[in-house]
Amino acid sequence: MQPPASDRPTACLALADGTLFYGSGFGATGQTVAELCFNTAMSGYQEIMTDPSYAGQIVTFTFPHIGNVGVNPEDDETGDPVAEGMIVKWMPTDPSNWRAVQDLDAWLSSRGRIALGGVDTRRLTRAIRQSGAPHVALAHDPEGNFDVEALVAAARAFSGLEGLDLAREVTCAQSYHWNEMRWAWPDGYTPQTDPKHKVVAIDYGAKRNILRCLASAGCDVTVLPATASYDDVMAHNPDGVFLSNGPGDPAATGTYAVPMIQQVLSDTDLPVFGICLGHQMLALALGAQTIKMNHGHHGANHPVKDHDTGKVEITSMNHGFAVDAQTLPSGVLETHTSLFDGSNCGIRVDGRPVWSVQHHPEASPGPQDSYYLFERFAEAMAARAA
């Protein structure tokens, strides 16, 4: 006999290996399938859920206090949540923050995203670290009725992220102009009124705060879809080209993105700067290869060493694929590495203003150690103009 509905769990997470996690559901009801990852950030859950790089993934938050500052439209990194769902240890409390305009439960529900609370996230995180990012099915039913066999079967049927081009799904439908700068007290977001450099940003899933950082560095930004051609880029007569973050398998996105980047590199001397998936796109264009990681890097506390300066930066990261440093061709130098596992976190072309990093210097959420990269991009465009 099943327990009374009031005593039953209202959400279930089923892993492809048959492991089940029960808890209390919040947000939207229904079912979704995805890859499961964990994020170690202590703040910024709204920015994480709206980061397009999380397409196709459910996020387990290792920090237990998720939802306690509510949500507000200023902190969205894109129009709606992109992550498929979220897993937390403790159920969200009523928001206690002067900027909150809505609680997390209602925000997720209105945007069709399922969440599960009351879970042993330490156990779940250990499972991810030991066995790799699993394929999962997440269900929320207020009545507590779950077809466990069907959930496990759905998790096993999920195709995974390898070979999947998700940039097409999250990129902009058409080009647009961006001039909003970073948030600053007491004015909030203000427009860039005196830009010095024309930048074309390729949107593989661009976060708004990356675009704000470009504007704050003096850039007049035009955003183009991920499928933009070389002619599309050059029609704007840019001073530099920026390659954004994004989700999915870089090799799949590279089938159309790499030829454009290669032509920019061969036919122009423009500065090129890439972040996250943009870093991987640049590496592929230069002849390197990418690999799927066991559980990826997701958090706001990742130490990265800059080989040129010897400086260690604490960075924000979100990626499940990495550039294989052993495949970097001659003339392409490794500039940054992760001090967690030694994986590649940055490259540059010797003698040219062309570089990229795996981490997220826009710090949304996360530390601000790497903001200088946007200034370096602006300086490279100024030097070329001079």
Side-chain angles (χ1 to χ4, degrees):
M1 176 185 294
Q2 285 189 321
S6 60
D7 297 332
R8 297 178 202 164
T10 57
C12 177
L13 177 72
L15 277 60
D17 66 3
T19 304
L20 302 175
F21 290 81
Y22 290 98
S24 299
F26 61 100
T29 59
Q31 178 180 320
T32 188
V33 294
E35 179 183 274
L36 184 68
C37 66
F38 66 87
N39 190 298
T40 57
M42 297 174 67
S43 64
Y45 53 83
Q46 184 180 343
E47 292 95 325
I48 290 166
M49 290 297 294
T50 55
D51 180 351
S53 296
Y54 279 108
Q57 294 180 299
I58 292 171
V59 183
T60 300
F61 288 87
T62 62
F63 187 66
H65 300 286
I66 300 299
N68 55 356
V69 296
V71 295
N72 70 84
E74 286 189 333
D75 289 346
D76 286 341
E77 286 298 327
T78 192
D80 282 305
V82 181
E84 295 295 331
M86 66 189 305
I87 312 293
V88 299
K89 180 175 178 60
W90 293 336
M91 292 292 287
T93 59
D94 291 335
S96 179
N97 187 278
W98 66 274
R99 297 179 68 229
V101 299
Q102 194 175 22
D103 64 68
L104 179 60
D105 182 9
W107 182 74
L108 290 170
S109 179
S110 66
R111 287 160 172 78
R113 291 299 185 266
I114 301 172
L116 166 62
V119 170
D120 184 350
T121 51
R122 285 189 175 187
R123 178 189 167 201
L124 191 53
T125 299
R126 283 197 300 269
I128 297 170
R129 289 183 61 88
Q130 291 168 5
S131 302
H135 299 172
V136 301
L138 174 62
H140 175 199
D141 178 6
E143 299 300 318
N145 298 315
F146 302 107
D147 185 338
V148 172
E149 291 184 359
L151 286 175
V152 173
R156 291 173 177 170
F158 179 61
S159 61
L161 301 185
E162 287 190 80
L164 201 58
D165 173 28
L166 290 174
R168 285 183 186 268
E169 298 184 14
V170 298
T171 189
C172 56
Q174 59 187 20
S175 63
Y176 63 93
H177 180 255
W178 185 276
N179 68 350
E180 185 177 85
M181 297 192 296
R182 284 164 39 198
W183 195 94
W185 177 264
D187 299 319
Y189 298 122
T190 57
Q192 169 60 263
T193 58
D194 186 28
K196 302 294 192 298
H197 318 290
K198 293 178 64 176
V199 170
V200 165
I202 307 300
D203 176 16
Y204 303 121
K207 296 173 66 179
R208 290 174 177 172
N209 215 50
I210 290 179
L211 303 179
R212 294 185 187 112
C213 288
L214 289 170
S216 293
C219 300
D220 178 13
V221 184
T222 299
V223 184
L224 299 185
T227 54
S229 67
Y230 172 79
D231 290 339
D232 293 334
V233 172
M234 298 310 296
H236 295 275
N237 191 28
D239 300 315
V241 175
F242 173 77
L243 310 173
S244 87
N245 64 294
D249 189 336
T253 303
T255 57
Y256 56 85
V258 162
M260 181 278 289
I261 299 170
Q262 288 176 330
Q263 192 167 359
V264 169
L265 296 176
S266 64
D267 293 1
T268 79
D269 62 349
L270 292 173
V272 177
F273 175 30
I275 288 175
C276 193
L277 183 61
H279 162 66
Q280 297 161 1
M281 290 297 98
L282 179 62
L284 290 173
L286 291 168
Q289 298 176 14
T290 56
I291 52 176
K292 182 77 164 69
M293 305 174 77
N294 179 61
H295 55 271
H297 289 163
H298 308 278
N301 59 345
H302 287 250
V304 169
K305 184 174 182 179
D306 184 331
H307 292 191
D308 292 334
T309 65
K311 177 182 176 182
V312 175
E313 303 166 20
I314 304 303
T315 72
S316 181
M317 285 203 185
N318 172 26
H319 62 110
F321 292 81
V323 172
D324 184 352
Q326 297 188 26
T327 66
L328 292 174
S330 175
V332 180
L333 308 178
E334 184 174 47
T335 59
H336 298 75
T337 53
S338 166
L339 295 187
F340 277 162
D341 59 14
S343 61
N344 174 265
C345 291
I347 59 173
R348 67 176 171 87
V349 176
D350 193 18
R352 294 188 61 181
V354 176
W355 73 89
S356 58
V357 293
Q358 184 64 72
H359 46 285
H360 282 259
E362 82 282 356
S364 185
Q368 302 177 4
D369 294 18
S370 304
Y371 269 159
Y372 68 90
L373 290 168
F374 295 100
E375 299 295 338
R376 178 184 293 177
F377 186 42
E379 291 166 2
M381 290 185 284
R384 176 179 178 271

